Amino acid sequence: PKVDLATGDIIGMEALLRWQSPELGEIGPERFIPVTEDNGMILPLGAWVIEEACCQAKAWLDEGLFAGNVAVNISGIQIRRGDLPELVRRILHKTGLSAGTLELEVTEGFIMEEPERAIKILNELRDLGLTLAIDDFGTGYSSLSYLKSLPIHHLKIDKSFIRDIPGDKNDMAITQAIIAMATSLDIELVAEGVETETQRQFLIDEGCRYGQGYLFNKPLRAAEMQQLLQAQDRQQQAG
Ligand code: MG
Ligand code: MG
């Protein structure tokens, strides 16, 4: 879940992959994603993830449980192929999800590898009506001149900066600078890895409106997410 830091309301969600292997147990995405990027399986896997996320979001929207957006992480390889806009358009058509409900997260590192090409594809995706986010911001040596030409709506502050707030003064200063910069460029911020009340308060005070992390929820299975949405729905009906 992604939440409004001030109210705790769920404003969206990020779809995450987990692999439960019968032989090897639970394998994290940091292990299996690079393998799929090497052997090309990231393309069918990536397409499957977008479709599953869209299907699930559509079902929750139809039940009236959910009004935010669902974010899917995109690998640089999916963008480099160039047919991502067409794939997304097909999946939206097939699942019936409106484009405005889908957000794609692209890491800063990838954009900076091939900025001209990334900007072209991101523009095509934005023209479809999607929301775009830069993921893990602050870790990828962004060029600020590119940042202002990117068609992005959200910037996600990497959890490595949030983790050591308030202990690390440098991380606090960097976080403040990212928030100030994004605010003046009119880009909305999401803080990743929010774990403590102190961090939540600091982010609100500095002007970051949204966040995600263990302070609010750990990653949830779809059935658990549904219960959470139902609980929020009941609360809103009561209040
Ligand atoms: Mg992400
Ligand atoms: Mg991230």
Side-chain angles (χ1 to χ4, degrees):
K2 282 188 289 185
V3 305
D4 183 316
L5 289 171
T7 62
D9 290 344
I10 298 170
I11 52 108
M13 59 186 83
E14 176 180 2
L16 299 176
L17 271 183
R18 295 291 182 269
W19 179 16
Q20 192 66 47
S21 158
E23 299 107 62
L24 305 167
E26 177 138 323
I27 303 175
E30 69 289 347
R31 280 189 65 200
F32 68 79
I33 293 294
V35 177
T36 66
E37 287 178 328
D38 275 347
N39 68 15
M41 269 195 72
I42 190 67
L43 294 171
L45 180 65
W48 177 81
V49 172
I50 299 171
E51 184 163 337
E52 284 294 306
C54 288
C55 255
Q56 185 61 77
K58 173 76 170 128
W60 286 335
L61 273 167
D62 288 350
E63 284 178 58
L65 287 177
F66 180 58
N69 70 19
V70 61
V72 177
N73 295 287
I74 295 295
S75 159
I77 292 172
Q78 289 170 279
I79 294 190
R80 215 169 288 147
R81 271 266 298 221
D83 59 353
L84 188 62
E86 176 52 27
L87 174 73
V88 169
R89 204 189 53 74
R90 264 205 322 267
I91 291 174
L92 290 173
H93 181 75
K94 183 173 167 191
T95 59
L97 191 75
S98 70
T101 308
L102 179 62
E103 173 161 329
L104 298 183
E105 297 188 4
V106 185
T107 63
E108 185 192 17
F110 169 71
I111 294 172
M112 288 309 138
E113 248 171 66
E114 254 185 297
E116 308 291 346
R117 190 169 165 77
I119 289 170
K120 180 178 168 281
I121 307 271
L122 292 176
N123 273 320
E124 285 176 42
L125 290 166
R126 193 200 40 193
D127 290 346
L128 286 176
L130 306 189
T131 308
L132 299 173
I134 296 193
D135 205 0
D136 306 342
F137 187 80
T139 61
Y141 310 103
S142 257
S143 151
L144 297 182
S145 62
Y146 276 121
L147 194 59
K148 75 173 193 300
S149 59
L150 289 173
I152 53 155
H153 307 83
H154 293 140
L155 204 152
K156 300 187 78 178
I157 310 173
D158 191 65
K159 57 181 176 299
S160 60
F161 300 112
I162 308 297
R163 190 173 47 214
D164 296 324
I165 294 173
D168 188 317
K169 296 286 170 274
N170 292 330
D171 284 349
M172 288 176 90
I174 291 168
T175 302
Q176 282 169 319
I178 293 174
I179 294 172
M181 181 197 63
T183 305
S184 58
L185 289 173
D186 214 12
I187 298 171
E188 237 163 34
L189 287 147
V190 181
E192 299 184 299
V194 183
E195 293 187 351
T196 70
E197 180 53 30
T198 309
Q199 291 164 356
R200 185 182 77 94
Q201 201 53 57
F202 172 79
L203 290 161
I204 292 173
D205 292 345
E206 293 303 321
C208 174
R209 184 150 178 217
Y210 304 115
Q212 61 189 74
Y214 278 64
L215 179 62
F216 312 103
N217 289 104
K218 64 179 191 346
L220 303 171
R221 290 175 183 279
E224 298 168 317
M225 184 74 206
Q226 180 157 332
Q227 284 171 4
L228 192 66
L229 290 169
Q230 283 164 339
Q232 174 169 288
D233 188 48
R234 278 194 299 273
Q235 234 174 31
Q236 280 166 353
Q237 309 248 332

